[in-house]
Amino acid sequence: MRNTLRMKHITKIFPGIVANDDITFELRHGEVHSLLGENGAGKSTLMSVLFGIYKPEQGDIELNGKTVEILGPNHAYQLGIGMVHQHFKLVRTFTVLENIILGIEDTKFGLITKEDARKRVLELSRKYNLNIDPDAKISEITVGMQQRVEILKILYRDAEIMIFDEPTAVLTPQEIKELIEIIKRFKKEGKSIVFISHKLDEIMSVSDRITVLRHGKNMGTFDAANTTKHKLSKQMVGRDIESPKLNTKPHLGEVALSVEHLSYTSKASGKPILNDVSFSVRKGEIVSIAGIDGNGQTELVYALTGLLQHDSGDIILNNESIGHETTRNRTLAGMAHIPEDRHKHGLVLEFPLEYNLVLQEYFTDRFQTKGFLRFDTIRQHAYDLIQDYDIRSARGPITNTRSMSGGNQQKAILAREISRSSDVLISVQPTRGLDVGAIEYVHKRLINLRNSGKAVLLVSLEIEEVMNISDRILIIYEGEITGELYPNTTSMQEIGLYMSGAKRGG
Amino acid sequence: MMLRKVIRFVQNEKLVPVYSSMLAIVAGLLVGFVILLLLNPSQSIQAFFTMLFAGLSNGPTSIGNVIYFASPIILTGLSVGFAFRTGLFNIGATGQLLTGGYIALLIGIRTTVFGPFTWLIALICAAITGALWSVIPGLLKMYKGVHEVVTTIMMNYVALFLVNFLVKQTIYNNLKNESLPAPADAVIPKFGLDHIFVNSNVQGGVFIAILMVIIIYVILNKTVFGFELKSVGYNKHASKYAGINVKLRGLQALMISGAIAGTAGAVIYLSDSLTFLKVQNTLPTQGFMGISVALLGLNDPIGIVFSGLFFGYLIVGGQKMQIFGLSPEVIDIITGMIVYFSALAIVFQNAAKRIFRMKAVDE
């Protein structure tokens, strides 16, 4: 089969790091070729080189047998290369059609004409079964639909090479299945596809070939038919990955956190979000709250941590009611929290790492005297945590937090929250967006915490995670706890039924 | 080796912005030169160099004048820059300056009980007034989400006409349509500055400016309070989650910013250099000038001292433009250009880096 695209011996060097080290990547006509690698392995850099955003120090790009110099993203589009970005680039107040034609509008006497465009968009939508309504506003359609608009955008621009950058990160399981079907249809129509991900399941189900990158190097290209997830993950991480599991029975202590008849109604919409939620977490166990996104998990966590005031019910931490305390007082009373959105709630990205590591403690006597910060102890604290939690960064304590990788940012939050040895840790999707190695790390830490007699509440959307590392599973559906299950006596299928609301009770 | 030094220079996070501010100044001055060339071709070169060196031409006298013009704008710059650092855009320095300045003059002129300390009491009251004047925008911002740019700018006009009215009622010199002068006890002492910078307009206000710069520097960089203010400025959500009272800190930040601008008012009017509160329909320039000073000074207290002095230097240069039949407003245009270019600083940085990278590749 002929190669549509060849990137030959690409080397891209940034100050202090070789992001791409002599990478050769070939994309055959009509294949799905996945790029697999941990965060920071060089996938995005390689694609940025392809789009002319970075100029490589070495190497050439060949398109259909001819060496080309790609000058920038627009030039790449002209050459038939299109990319569906992880973070969508859509105008929310525009319609689907307007977003698709944005930048290449047909005009007549200086006025935009949309009729031809509408016909073509509908045609493309039908051809690939995308089910798009061209007149819907972006702000009114689901994330999955928004992604399809992004796909239509590049189809409309006649892309022959389609690049999907972490396309499943934002999708629900159902949407992921549909996306994979769509990609297979593109393949049948002769498009060549690059699929970037670090999720092995998807990669195995969609790819013809897989190229693994690690630390900027090409670790080999494999036929999907002749390899296994295990082999791939070993190539990706450089060692065997074990998914940590709970091996011992919990040593249950007293009740650390207890939620009693918690209810909350949205002030804006008047919709009940949490309805009479009650549960408790004891010391020495990991309790998971599983559910499909948007069933009240976020509000429940906000209520627990004091970011939101609930309407009725109470929260008891170590036998004391904290339901009406400030966030600060809850923290001091022994609650630690790994928030869902680490960039929004977890970190002040502009701060150096050492400041973020004391974000919950800077006001204590250890880090201040008479209102003045004690920079020596802050620095020492940072060195200690960096060592203990293996937080990697370019410049240690003074690294700008924004410049750190997602995995290391999460490690920083873990370090900060766990090192305070609070009795209760509320951990919300702690592995979201992390690569395999970092997920393993986070799970190990949570299990250690449980084994050392702390209470862990894990809010997760991933059934596998829930099955692997919880002692008890609570299902949340439409703001209610609809089931309590135990990993030994339940199955993923059963949890799935509970999560979708098809089953309840028990 | 040389190349490595250059790399280190360009990559030093702390130096790059300074470097681009310098570039902005050079670019602004070049445009200024072109303007001079258009306005007065025959004398443009002479005028340009007069402007560039007027701040030094008469030795201590010129320097004294530079300091005189720089003092209030260092304060308004500090006011704006401090607010920036805490995530707020205080365009209301003008109003806070006017109300603060008025109260300072009122106390200075109408009280005698404080004797030689009248100026100090007046100064403190000016700061308090400036702080109180920003309470309304602060409360609206924190509790109702009304953007401070809108509210502070409107408060400027309220301040202007309120102060006009009050000056007429209380401390009016109706022969000149302006306030009465500050009596001797109300003038900020110069502690001998006028003997160093003889024949200049230099005022004791410069001490107040330096003191405020030090205080703000310490608050921002050394204290728990400053840590919280910056945290709120960078990321409200994470701050809230870390247990910081985000609304209170935001309000406090705007009040401190107002207090600094209030002292700027006192520094301007508690002087014996014939600056009076004029009853007029235009806002005094020092308030908005603060935005420029803060921008060029990168919102850093120390940077603001330098950029304030630089703008003061340009103002002195501007006054000499009349020799060449040019109005001092030429300087405003050049100042504007410099601010414009410093807003484009990122372009300068990228351009510099791009040129640099191409060189590195060629080697």
Side-chain angles (χ1 to χ4, degrees):
Chain A
M1 252 205 277
R2 68 188 168 85
N3 283 320
T4 301
L5 169 73
R6 288 184 74 189
M7 299 179 77
K8 294 189 297 186
H9 304 292
I10 302 290
T11 296
K12 175 70 208 165
I13 300 169
F14 291 115
I17 190 166
V18 183
N20 284 167
D21 187 355
D22 193 25
I23 292 180
T24 296
F25 176 81
E26 296 175 342
L27 180 66
R28 291 179 190 151
H29 180 75
E31 77 164 342
V32 179
H33 193 153
S34 287
L35 265 181
L36 174 68
E38 295 197 284
N39 296 329
K43 296 168 292 184
S44 307
T45 308
L46 190 64
M47 289 303 113
S48 298
V49 167
L50 178 58
F51 271 80
I53 296 166
Y54 296 139
K55 200 170 169 264
E57 268 73 44
Q58 262 174 46
D60 297 310
I61 299 172
E62 247 178 40
L63 211 55
N64 297 319
K66 272 190 296 191
T67 303
V68 288
E69 195 192 349
I70 297 174
L71 304 169
N74 286 331
H75 187 212
Y77 271 109
Q78 285 166 18
L79 295 170
I81 306 172
M83 178 134 150
V84 175
H85 295 271
Q86 187 181 358
H87 303 287
F88 305 149
K89 300 175 187 311
L90 298 169
V91 183
R92 292 184 64 79
T93 50
F94 276 15
T95 66
V96 168
L97 182 64
E98 285 164 346
N99 267 287
I100 291 170
I101 62 173
L102 190 63
I104 50 167
E105 307 87 349
D106 296 323
T107 54
K108 205 176 202 175
F109 312 120
L111 300 171
I112 295 182
T113 55
K114 294 183 192 162
E115 277 324 299
D116 292 345
R118 179 192 303 277
K119 258 185 231 151
R120 253 199 82 205
V121 166
L122 284 171
E123 201 178 291
L124 286 168
S125 169
R126 213 170 300 128
K127 183 170 169 191
Y128 296 105
N129 211 356
L130 295 172
N131 283 323
I132 246 357
D133 170 9
D135 299 313
K137 282 227 168 75
I138 296 296
S139 53
E140 290 160 1
I141 62 178
T142 62
V143 171
M145 277 294 169
Q146 291 177 15
Q147 188 172 57
R148 291 184 188 188
V149 178
E150 286 282 3
I151 295 173
L152 267 170
K153 253 165 81 176
I154 65 172
L155 285 175
Y156 189 80
R157 286 159 178 76
D158 298 317
E160 285 304 317
I161 296 174
M162 303 174 75
I163 298 160
F164 290 84
D165 184 13
E166 305 264 358
T168 59
V170 292
L171 302 182
T172 64
Q174 182 58 31
E175 287 172 328
I176 292 175
K177 220 181 270 170
E178 290 171 10
L179 175 69
I180 287 176
E181 287 312 308
I182 291 170
I183 289 178
K184 285 182 174 162
R185 225 167 288 135
F186 288 144
K187 186 180 131 184
K188 217 177 282 167
E189 292 290 330
K191 309 269 186 203
S192 311
I193 289 148
V194 181
F195 186 88
I196 303 173
S197 179
H198 55 250
K199 292 190 187 162
L200 289 161
D201 284 313
E202 298 159 15
I203 285 207
M204 288 301 276
S205 69
V206 77
S207 325
D208 296 304
R209 292 193 300 163
I210 299 141
T211 291
V212 183
L213 300 186
R214 190 207 312 161
H215 299 322
K217 288 200 180 68
N218 184 342
M219 304 309 295
T221 300
F222 307 90
D223 284 326
N226 301 328
T227 189
T228 61
K229 281 202 280 181
H230 183 80
K231 274 188 204 157
L232 289 174
S233 78
K234 199 173 166 185
Q235 285 300 333
M236 171 164 75
V237 190
R239 61 189 165 88
D240 270 315
I241 284 286
E242 39 171 332
S243 13
K245 286 192 175 142
L246 294 181
N247 297 319
T248 53
K249 282 217 162 116
H251 290 282
L252 289 181
E254 56 203 277
V255 172
L257 175 74
S258 153
V259 175
E260 295 173 356
H261 307 291
L262 205 67
S263 293
Y264 171 71
T265 302
S266 161
K267 308 252 171 337
S269 65
K271 251 177 41 189
I273 306 288
L274 294 174
N275 189 4
D276 195 25
V277 172
S278 295
F279 64 88
S280 64
V281 188
R282 301 167 79 106
K283 286 183 179 166
E285 68 170 343
I286 299 180
V287 175
S288 288
I289 295 198
I292 296 169
D293 202 8
N295 275 284
Q297 296 100 320
T298 306
E299 290 79 4
L300 174 62
V301 171
Y302 282 3
L304 289 177
T305 52
L307 294 177
L308 167 158
Q309 190 56 56
H310 54 269
D311 301 329
S312 61
D314 204 358
I315 301 159
I316 316 285
L317 181 69
N318 287 333
N319 298 321
E320 277 182 56
S321 164
I322 53 155
H324 295 276
E325 289 294 339
T326 60
T327 303
R328 173 68 51 87
N329 285 341
R330 294 179 199 210
T331 306
L332 294 175
M335 185 185 279
H337 177 202
I338 297 168
E340 177 179 1
D341 188 335
R342 57 178 162 267
H343 289 170
K344 189 174 169 191
H345 288 114
L347 296 164
V348 178
L349 290 175
E350 289 79 1
F351 269 166
L353 174 60
E354 60 181 351
Y355 282 14
N356 272 306
L357 290 174
V358 294
L359 202 56
Q360 299 281 21
E361 290 183 289
Y362 64 87
F363 51 86
T364 59
D365 285 341
R366 189 169 156 214
F367 298 114
Q368 61 106 8
T369 25
K370 300 197 170 88
F372 285 86
L373 292 168
R374 296 178 57 188
F375 293 100
D376 50 341
T377 49
I378 291 175
R379 180 66 51 88
Q380 191 52 48
H381 177 75
Y383 277 125
D384 292 346
L385 292 188
I386 286 170
Q387 176 101 45
D388 293 351
Y389 291 81
D390 188 29
I391 305 166
R392 296 191 193 161
S393 61
R395 295 165 63 200
I398 56 166
T399 309
N400 186 302
T401 314
R402 188 185 291 283
S403 71
M404 293 167 54
S405 73
N408 280 301
Q409 289 175 345
Q410 190 73 336
K411 277 184 184 174
I413 297 176
L414 270 164
R416 180 181 74 207
E417 299 299 325
I418 294 178
S419 65
R420 288 188 292 124
S421 57
S422 307
D423 294 321
V424 177
L425 174 70
I426 297 171
S427 173
V428 190
Q429 294 194 53
T431 57
R432 190 170 78 161
L434 301 189
D435 51 57
V436 193
I439 291 174
E440 179 195 25
Y441 178 91
V442 171
H443 285 169
K444 270 192 183 154
R445 282 284 175 183
L446 293 182
I447 292 171
N448 285 346
L449 208 58
R450 165 231 194 217
N451 291 342
S452 67
K454 308 287 185 194
V456 178
L457 181 70
L458 171 69
V459 178
S460 177
L461 307 177
E462 311 262 344
I463 301 183
E464 210 178 318
E465 174 172 87
V466 166
M467 282 294 276
N468 278 343
I469 64 158
S470 27
D471 292 301
R472 200 146 53 90
I473 302 165
L474 301 169
I475 310 289
I476 189 165
Y477 177 71
E478 294 192 337
E480 290 180 45
I481 301 290
T482 57
E484 179 169 1
L485 305 165
Y486 293 85
N488 313 338
T489 57
T490 186
S491 63
M492 294 222 195
Q493 286 72 17
E494 194 184 16
I495 297 178
L497 288 177
Y498 272 96
M499 281 168 64
S500 63
K503 206 173 166 191
R504 58 191 295 153
Chain B
M1 282 313 283
M2 196 53 207
L3 184 70
R4 194 166 295 164
K5 270 184 189 161
V6 174
I7 291 173
R8 204 168 292 158
F9 179 74
V10 173
Q11 284 175 348
N12 189 327
E13 279 171 42
K14 284 188 177 140
L15 268 179
V16 169
V18 175
Y19 178 61
S20 70
S21 279
M22 300 285 213
L23 266 178
I25 290 172
V26 171
L29 288 175
L30 282 178
V31 173
F33 177 68
V34 172
I35 292 167
L36 292 180
L37 203 63
L38 294 173
L39 291 177
N40 188 347
S42 59
Q43 290 175 297
S44 59
I45 294 176
Q46 208 185 342
F48 186 67
F49 283 100
T50 306
M51 177 188 86
L52 268 192
F53 295 108
L56 294 170
S57 59
N58 285 342
T61 307
S62 307
I63 297 172
N65 285 337
V66 169
I67 294 172
Y68 164 73
F69 285 113
S71 307
I73 57 176
I74 287 175
L75 282 165
T76 52
L78 190 65
S79 164
V80 176
F82 174 80
F84 261 132
R85 290 289 289 273
T86 62
L88 295 163
F89 195 1
N90 178 17
I91 308 199
T94 313
Q96 295 141 12
L97 172 156
L98 271 171
T99 49
Y102 166 73
I103 293 294
L105 265 185
L106 181 70
I107 289 171
I109 295 168
R110 292 288 170 232
T111 62
T112 47
V113 287
F114 304 113
F117 296 107
T118 306
W119 65 271
L120 185 60
I121 303 297
L123 186 79
I124 292 168
C125 290
I128 295 170
T129 309
L132 291 177
W133 196 251
S134 54
V135 164
I136 298 170
L139 288 175
L140 283 171
K141 164 86 179 184
M142 298 307 151
Y143 292 93
K144 289 289 161 207
V146 185
H147 202 285
E148 73 276 10
V149 164
V150 178
T151 46
T152 52
I153 209 163
M154 290 198 300
M155 291 297 279
N156 285 342
Y157 291 94
V158 177
L160 175 68
F161 294 108
L162 181 69
V163 166
N164 278 352
F165 169 74
L166 290 174
V167 165
K168 282 187 186 170
Q169 296 298 314
T170 53
I171 48 172
Y172 196 43
N173 175 356
N174 53 10
L175 294 175
K176 290 182 168 170
N177 196 27
E178 63 190 22
S179 68
L180 297 165
D185 278 345
V187 172
I188 298 170
K190 299 188 189 65
F191 300 105
L193 271 188
D194 44 348
H195 299 298
I196 302 172
F197 304 107
V198 274
N199 294 330
S200 75
N201 281 323
V202 76
Q203 293 290 326
V206 62
F207 297 116
I208 310 298
I210 290 168
L211 186 69
M212 292 301 271
V213 165
I214 294 170
I215 291 173
I216 293 302
Y217 178 85
V218 170
I219 288 181
L220 274 180
N221 295 307
K222 303 287 176 199
T223 66
V224 172
F225 180 59
F227 183 91
E228 295 191 345
L229 291 177
K230 280 190 291 186
S231 181
V232 172
Y234 286 134
N235 186 342
K236 276 193 198 62
H237 304 283
S239 305
K240 199 174 163 198
Y241 149 80
I244 298 170
N245 190 335
V246 171
K247 288 177 176 165
L248 181 64
R249 288 290 175 265
L251 179 61
Q252 287 167 332
L254 204 53
M255 286 179 71
I256 292 173
S257 174
I260 305 169
T263 47
V267 161
I268 295 169
Y269 300 115
L270 296 182
S271 80
D272 56 8
S273 60
L274 308 177
T275 41
F276 307 105
L277 243 176
K278 289 193 165 49
V279 175
Q280 57 186 6
N281 288 337
T282 50
L283 295 165
T285 54
Q286 291 94 336
F288 288 121
M289 196 87 174
I291 299 172
S292 313
V293 172
L295 251 174
L296 190 68
L298 306 163
N299 304 323
D300 177 83
I302 311 297
I304 284 167
V305 174
F306 285 109
S307 86
L309 282 170
F310 175 73
F311 280 121
Y313 188 87
L314 280 186
I315 295 171
V316 172
Q319 293 184 327
K320 290 274 163 74
M321 290 297 95
Q322 278 148 327
I323 305 168
F324 305 97
L326 299 165
S327 70
E329 277 79 14
V330 170
I331 281 299
D332 292 338
I333 297 172
I334 294 172
T335 311
M337 288 321 296
I338 290 170
V339 171
Y340 202 84
F341 283 115
S342 40
L344 291 176
I346 196 86
V347 179
F348 283 115
Q349 284 177 29
N350 289 346
K353 277 182 188 162
R354 192 165 303 159
I355 294 164
F356 167 75
R357 182 173 297 149
M358 271 159 62
K359 268 187 190 157
V361 172
D362 291 343
E363 307 226 349

